[in-house]
Amino acid sequence: MPEYNDLLPVAPWRELKVTREDWLALAPSLGGTILSQLHLIRAFEEKVLELASEGLVHGPAHSAIGQEAGAVGSALAMRRSDQVNGSHRAHHQFLAKALSYIAAGGINPLTPFSSEIRRLSKKTLAEILGLAQGFCRGRGGSMHLRWAEAGNLGTNAIVGGGVPMAAGAAWAHKKAGSGDVVYTYFGDGATNIGSVLETMNLAAAWKLPICFFIENNRYAVSTSVKESTAEPRLSSRGLAFGIPAYKVDGMDPLAVYLVTLEANGLMRAGNGPVIIEADVYRYFHQNGALPGSAFGYRSKDEEARWRDRDPLRTTERELMQRQLVGQDAVDRLRENSVTLMDSIAQELVDEAGGRKRIIPALWPEKDFKDFGLRGNLSEFHGVRFEEEETFSGALDQDVKFIDAIADVMDRRMSQDDRIVVIGEDVHKLKGGTNGATRGLSDKYPGNCLGTPISENAFTGLAAGMAADGRVRPVVEFMYPDFMWVAADQVFNQIGKARHMFGGDNAMPLVLRTKVAIGTGYGSQHSMDPAGIFATAPGWRIVAPSTPFDYIGLMNSALLCNDPVLVLEHVDLYNSRGAAPIGDLDYFIPLGKAKIVRPGTSITVLTYLAMVEKTRVVVGRIGIDAEIIDLRSLDREGLDWETVETSIRKTNKVLIVEQGTAGTSYGGWLADDLQRRVFDWLDHPIMRVHGSEASPSVSKILEEAACANEADIEAALLAMIENGLLHRSVKGN
């Protein structure tokens, strides 16, 4: 018979319960502040539901009535410099952290509220109503609340989507040695999401000062915890990752306060992350002012039992037993809270035709719709721009492309300690899988971070680093196809961050990846992502085709305060070209294309490895084509002036790309060109691209699926045969 040994987890898992002595030991000022915050947040949430029922909240109103104690108890145990983020149900967390920030000395329930509390309440309500006076100027609404000054990093409509970003902020705190911590709040539904679990693993491995605060309110919309998981004690998740975990009554603000103090002690001592599971209950449905029982997934008896444990009543009872407040004071606190919310709502809402409406002057102007999607590039003021053809310094004509990548990264990291390289194997294999990060882990070990295979987590973590402002991360995706694993972080979080939070917050993140068409890695490692990123808001895209251009464009990407995708191509890694000798500090402007071959008969628009292939074909068949290396591929950065000037001269356009038809970059580009230069075209825009199918492992099928020199030649020859082009120069 086999023998068995019981295995014990490496981290503790404990439940904290308060005693009568804990309530007796509670400082009167802290007790009064807890009670005041609970009433303020309750009255605020009730006002939101009232306005929503009147049709004045455009979008959802995810109330946290019943859950206030978890937010208040944890926020009051934090420093002003600690940070938080949350999910879609986060008004209470946002307000609790902000109240603790503006009223660091506490709130006296026996005195009128301060003007700062009034301003906070009004600005938060204005944001939820979508008004220009809100924290995000109406862009964020109920689900995207951000006030960085108070430590609110930004709430998130994607369940669990903000968790990796909170870990990025925690990494920045650890690097700075500040002792500050980050709390990321999420519900029971998010504990089964990959980004949350991936981030727990990464945070534990790197000992980041982050608390995963689970508000277990029993239901993800209408699906109960017991339906979702075999282990409904959600704090057990910590055991798998070696994270200390606590379970606590989230209806008791003192219990949450005490467990938060203990968690903070662990994190500030450098012991890594903590999990707190707070058992709470939302009194209403997922959205709106009806209880869950109205939708049939909860019973009225269950709802009544939880209401009997209301955190406001619990706190009032305990403070009255100690004679710290009386019933009259509690009633006055309630009245003051409700009156405050009524008063600020009256400043945002009026009546017209017998119906309530938002005061029209408070709406954002319509021309604000795209403001801040990307920055204005003012960070480039005064930098030195260079082009290879006009560069006055010495050039080495035989620089390998991959060496230019490694050299410019080395140079920038030696000059700027904020730059952090992050990705799979970037710290090993003599510079990752292709040598692009050669030598960086030896020279800058704390800034070259090899990660687990968890793109969603480390991409979101990098986003949190960038949003923090003290770090400029460079993320490497080993292959661009892996972006689909991290699509939420890439597109929903990073790409939209500036816009949805009002347009003023920077997101200085660089994402490097390579197009591996031609390597035989098959359908899931070979895509060209340019077309996907070009149709996603917020991203800038650069595609260098020479060593000289790579250095200048990477320098620009690292200076830019927007997220920048830097595209590389495996065909170029071993190619050679010119690069400056001893000068790695120049810039190439974002949004500037390059005419690599002047001509008059046709304009050919292309990028990456297809630039040289096109030049070879044009030279071979003898066409006076103007070839433009686009270099900047995003909508904002495309050099329309150079492109349109060329088309007005040639009156014909051929777009050349290597990737598949389905994710084509040229599709949207052709559409925009039709609108811009239709009157100048003598012929429909022509395109060269791959087939619908992704590349296959088979060499023959891969060559057939992807565009190559033969396809470029076939397109040009067809135009000659149809009398649209003429051989005007001798082929070579």
Side-chain angles (χ1 to χ4, degrees):
M1 293 290 291
E3 294 183 359
Y4 296 93
N5 292 320
D6 290 334
L7 301 178
L8 298 176
V10 298
W13 182 26
R14 308 170 72 187
E15 182 173 11
L16 182 147
K17 295 183 177 181
V18 297
T19 64
R20 185 83 204 121
E21 288 72 21
D22 293 319
W23 276 105
L24 292 174
L26 178 64
S29 61
L30 178 58
T33 299
I34 290 173
L35 185 62
S36 299
Q37 285 208 17
L38 290 172
H39 272 279
L40 280 165
I41 294 170
R42 175 68 60 85
F44 181 91
E45 291 280 60
E46 289 172 342
K47 179 55 66 175
V48 170
L49 289 183
E50 177 188 323
L51 294 172
S53 67
E54 294 169 337
L56 297 172
V57 177
H58 183 62
H62 297 110
S63 153
I65 293 176
Q67 300 184 194
E68 299 93 345
V72 171
S74 56
L76 284 171
M78 296 181 202
R79 297 174 179 172
R80 294 177 86 231
S81 53
D82 291 334
Q83 296 175 313
V84 305
N85 76 356
S87 192
H88 57 284
R89 190 183 314 283
H91 303 162
H92 57 320
Q93 298 149 5
F94 179 88
L95 287 170
K97 184 64 173 73
L99 286 166
S100 298
Y101 177 79
I102 64 174
I107 304 174
N108 187 340
L110 306 179
T111 61
F113 298 126
S114 68
S115 58
E116 288 83 2
I117 290 176
R118 179 184 178 82
R119 280 195 293 270
L120 166 66
S121 302
K122 182 177 178 180
K123 198 166 185 178
T124 307
L125 186 59
E127 184 57 47
I128 291 170
L129 294 177
L131 308 183
Q133 296 73 29
F135 278 100
C136 303
R137 303 193 223 181
R139 285 261 186 80
S142 171
M143 297 187 289
H144 308 113
L145 295 167
R146 185 176 189 269
W147 186 21
E149 179 186 331
N152 278 299
L153 297 173
T155 60
N156 208 287
I158 303 298
V159 175
V163 174
M165 296 182 72
W171 189 92
H173 290 322
K174 180 177 180 179
K175 185 176 189 294
S178 66
D180 292 334
V181 302
V182 180
Y183 274 67
T184 183
Y185 296 94
F186 52 92
D188 45 275
T191 58
N192 300 316
I193 288 176
S195 59
V196 173
L197 300 173
E198 287 181 19
T199 305
M200 286 180 178
N201 177 62
L202 197 54
W206 291 358
K207 292 192 176 300
L208 302 182
I210 179 173
C211 177
F212 300 95
F213 194 101
I214 305 168
E215 286 188 315
N216 186 352
N217 66 18
R218 301 299 193 270
Y219 296 92
V221 186
S222 62
T223 302
S224 70
V225 171
K226 290 183 178 179
E227 293 176 271
S228 302
T229 180
E231 173 51 276
R233 298 170 299 172
L234 303 178
S235 45
S236 65
R237 300 292 194 269
L239 304 182
F241 303 110
I243 301 176
Y246 295 90
K247 187 173 176 62
V248 68
D249 180 3
M251 306 296 279
D252 185 334
L254 180 56
V256 177
Y257 175 79
L258 293 175
V259 81
T260 302
L261 287 178
E262 190 165 332
N264 289 345
L266 290 172
M267 292 186 287
R268 297 196 206 284
N271 294 316
V274 177
I275 290 175
I276 295 175
E277 178 190 5
D279 289 320
V280 296
Y281 199 78
R282 55 173 165 85
Y283 292 169
F284 296 99
H285 180 53
Q286 165 79 355
N287 172 34
L290 292 174
S293 56
F295 297 87
Y297 64 89
R298 299 195 308 205
S299 70
K300 292 183 178 180
D301 287 343
E302 176 186 304
E303 291 171 344
R305 288 195 302 272
W306 281 92
R307 280 186 175 271
D308 287 342
R309 300 177 54 210
D310 187 283
L312 278 69
R313 306 290 87 79
T314 298
T315 306
E316 292 167 359
R317 183 173 59 250
E318 294 291 345
L319 296 183
M320 284 192 285
Q321 285 181 4
R322 290 184 57 190
Q323 298 184 341
L324 297 177
V325 295
Q327 187 62 55
D328 287 346
V330 170
D331 293 343
R332 191 162 56 252
L333 174 61
R334 166 66 178 172
E335 181 182 352
N336 289 343
S337 300
V338 171
T339 300
L340 173 62
M341 302 311 162
D342 287 342
S343 174
I344 63 173
Q346 288 170 8
E347 296 176 7
L348 304 174
V349 175
D350 66 7
E351 285 195 14
R355 298 185 62 184
K356 287 186 177 181
R357 64 170 188 176
I358 301 293
I359 297 173
L362 302 181
W363 291 113
E365 296 294 333
K366 289 186 177 181
D367 60 6
F368 183 63
K369 65 183 185 301
D370 290 332
F371 171 81
L373 183 61
R374 300 176 185 85
N376 61 10
L377 301 182
S378 59
E379 60 269 30
F380 286 84
H381 178 70
V383 305
R384 174 171 60 98
F385 292 117
E386 299 280 5
E387 293 287 354
E388 181 180 340
E389 291 72 19
T390 57
F391 184 72
S392 59
L395 291 173
D396 182 343
Q397 298 293 333
D398 194 37
V399 175
K400 186 183 283 190
F401 196 102
I402 195 67
D403 291 340
I405 297 175
D407 290 346
V408 71
M409 285 305 306
D410 185 6
R411 174 63 176 172
R412 293 280 66 78
M413 293 179 76
S414 72
Q415 300 294 304
D416 190 346
D417 184 54
R418 297 175 301 167
I419 297 175
V420 173
V421 174
I422 180 170
E424 296 157 3
D425 293 311
V426 295
H427 62 317
K428 296 286 182 70
L429 304 176
K430 297 182 179 180
T433 53
N434 292 97
T437 54
R438 181 197 65 227
L440 301 184
S441 61
D442 293 332
K443 291 185 178 181
Y444 320 102
N447 287 36
C448 187
L449 310 177
T451 68
I453 300 175
S454 52
E455 283 84 2
N456 207 10
F458 71 69
T459 303
L461 187 141
M465 292 177 175
D468 176 83
R470 290 173 291 182
V471 185
R472 300 186 82 89
V474 180
V475 181
E476 179 181 300
F477 276 4
M478 196 178 293
Y479 293 93
D481 308 67
F482 300 172
M483 72 174 176
W484 298 118
V485 182
D488 174 43
Q489 298 301 322
V490 170
F491 301 120
N492 271 328
Q493 311 299 341
I494 297 170
K496 297 177 182 176
R498 291 193 68 138
H499 187 264
M500 72 182 180
F501 290 131
D504 294 323
N505 50 303
M507 180 53 74
L509 179 147
V510 173
L511 172 58
R512 289 183 47 251
T513 193
K514 61 175 180 281
V515 178
I517 293 173
T519 61
Y521 269 69
S523 296
Q524 295 175 333
H525 286 68
S526 305
M527 77 175 297
D528 176 353
I532 301 298
F533 277 84
T535 57
W539 281 91
R540 296 186 185 270
I541 311 167
V542 296
S545 63
T546 69
F548 188 99
D549 284 3
Y550 190 95
I551 293 167
L553 288 170
M554 176 54 82
N555 283 335
S556 291
L558 287 168
L559 179 63
C560 186
N561 286 329
D562 300 325
V564 182
L565 172 68
V566 178
L567 279 178
E568 302 161 11
H569 198 297
V570 291
D571 281 1
L572 296 174
Y573 280 160
N574 290 319
S575 67
R576 294 180 178 272
I581 298 174
D583 183 358
L584 296 168
D585 299 328
Y586 62 92
F587 297 82
I588 289 176
L590 300 178
K592 184 64 176 175
K594 181 178 181 180
I595 298 174
V596 297
R597 184 193 187 283
T600 60
S601 63
I602 186 172
T603 298
V604 183
L605 306 176
T606 188
Y607 60 95
L608 283 181
M610 299 306 275
V611 173
E612 184 58 29
K613 288 179 170 60
T614 300
R615 182 154 45 185
V616 168
V617 170
V618 165
R620 183 165 63 237
I621 63 179
I623 295 174
D624 188 24
E626 182 147 288
I627 303 173
I628 298 179
D629 181 354
L630 294 173
R631 299 199 298 193
S632 286
L633 305 182
D634 55 276
R635 289 177 184 269
E636 177 71 16
L638 201 133
D639 187 352
W640 293 110
E641 181 179 357
T642 296
V643 170
E644 290 179 25
T645 299
S646 177
I647 293 171
R648 289 189 179 100
K649 176 176 58 176
T650 67
N651 309 120
K652 304 177 196 67
V653 183
L654 174 66
I655 300 172
V656 175
E657 59 183 317
Q658 190 175 28
T660 61
T663 56
S664 167
Y665 176 79
W668 82 265
L669 178 56
D671 177 70
D672 257 34
L673 284 173
Q674 291 275 63
R675 302 170 197 276
R676 288 172 175 267
V677 297
F678 182 82
D679 290 342
W680 295 89
L681 293 174
D682 291 344
H683 186 273
I685 294 172
M686 303 292 288
R687 293 173 55 203
V688 171
H689 53 73
S691 68
E692 181 181 359
S694 299
S696 304
V697 172
S698 166
K699 184 175 182 179
I700 297 300
L701 294 178
E702 182 176 45
E703 289 176 353
C706 304
N708 50 40
E709 289 186 19
D711 297 305
I712 303 170
E713 184 168 337
L716 293 172
L717 290 176
M719 295 179 76
I720 292 173
E721 291 173 5
N722 291 327
L724 300 171
L725 282 178
H726 302 282
R727 297 179 189 264
S728 55
V729 295
K730 183 180 294 184
N732 53 35

